[in-house]
Amino acid sequence: GAPLSFLDGEWVRQDSDVKSSPRFAHSDDPKLHLTSDGAAWRVTRGAGSGEVIAEAASTALHPGTVEVGSWKVFDRGKELPKSAELEMLCDGPNTEEQPFLMEELGRDFFLRVHLTRKVVWFVCPATGDIYHSAAKPGGEGGRSKPGKRYCHLCNKCFSANNFQSQHLVNLHPELVAKKPPKEKKEKKLAGLEKNMPSPADPERVKTLIHALLCPSDGPSDRPDYTAEVAALQGL
């Protein structure tokens, strides 16, 4: 949108250190810098502690892996509307002949970005091999083999089909969003509550106890407590 248009365009990487958080500058306005201190990514006007233009609280290793909706954009300290619409993306040919480097995508890309149906071609930093990220073979781009995904914590590529369900769950469970535990359903004693006599009716309780202890007694002029007896015997 218009309030954020000055942030549109290309951000150029300023360093070659692939292990630390990269630094970027805007191609049209070199005074705009994009950096991280490990706890947040910030766009500042001027290097170092310049005026903060935008900020996202995130431990992501790359601006492209910052959670969608995390950004806030400011104008003289006041947050601009539609700030959360700001998103940093890595654009490129994305083919087997021209794959992404993990430094371009963000080394934590496959741990933080939900791909849905998007397929990414990339170079494994550990081996230099080229892989696609699709779980299954086939589809566009000549994907003859199942894909892989890179884990920066292990510095290794793993099967894309099992990356979320096995690799992350087994080796990095702290990164897997935990589902809230299901509430334990209390056992319901079907029909017991409505069939049991009220404690305020001692004569009825006494008769029911007799029916339980002496089921073989002959016919009685007392009320029929068959339902109550059956409910208690089923416990």
Side-chain angles (χ1 to χ4, degrees), residues 88-173:
M88 302 290 181
L89 299 172
C90 183
D91 193 16
N94 190 26
T95 63
E96 186 174 9
E97 294 73 27
Q98 293 180 285
F100 286 111
L101 299 176
M102 287 308 303
E103 288 71 38
E104 296 171 327
L105 293 171
R107 293 174 71 84
D108 56 351
F109 180 82
F110 291 113
L111 276 73
R112 301 183 67 94
V113 176
H114 186 53
L115 291 178
T116 58
R117 293 183 177 275
K118 182 179 180 180
V119 177
V120 176
W121 285 94
F122 67 98
V123 180
C124 175
T127 65
D129 294 329
I130 297 173
Y131 299 113
H132 64 79
S133 63
K136 305 291 183 181
E140 298 179 0
R143 304 194 302 266
S144 59
K145 297 180 180 180
K148 293 181 180 290
R149 298 183 185 183
Y150 176 71
C151 174
H152 73 286
L153 298 174
C154 299
N155 191 29
K156 187 177 179 180
C157 287
F158 297 89
S159 166
N161 192 41
N162 302 322
F163 190 75
Q164 295 283 344
S165 61
Q166 294 186 22
H167 178 69
L168 294 186
V169 169
N170 294 331
L171 295 184
H172 312 296

Side-chain angles (χ1 to χ4, degrees), residues 13-34:
R13 187 169 181 146
Q14 300 296 295
D15 54 36
S16 58
D17 184 357
V18 298
K19 292 187 177 180
S20 63
S21 298
R23 295 179 296 114
F24 299 84
H26 199 288
S27 59
D28 296 332
D29 187 353
K31 292 183 179 179
L32 289 178
H33 293 261
L34 175 59

Side-chain angles (χ1 to χ4, degrees), residues 1-11 26-29 32 85-88:
L4 313 180
S5 59
F6 67 99
L7 293 174
D8 291 343
E10 184 179 0
W11 291 83
H26 199 288
S27 59
D28 296 332
D29 187 353
L32 289 178
E85 293 183 4
L86 176 64
E87 185 178 6
M88 302 290 181

Side-chain angles (χ1 to χ4, degrees), residues 212 215 228-235:
L212 281 170
E228 290 95 327
V229 172
L232 288 175
Q233 290 176 336
L235 293 179

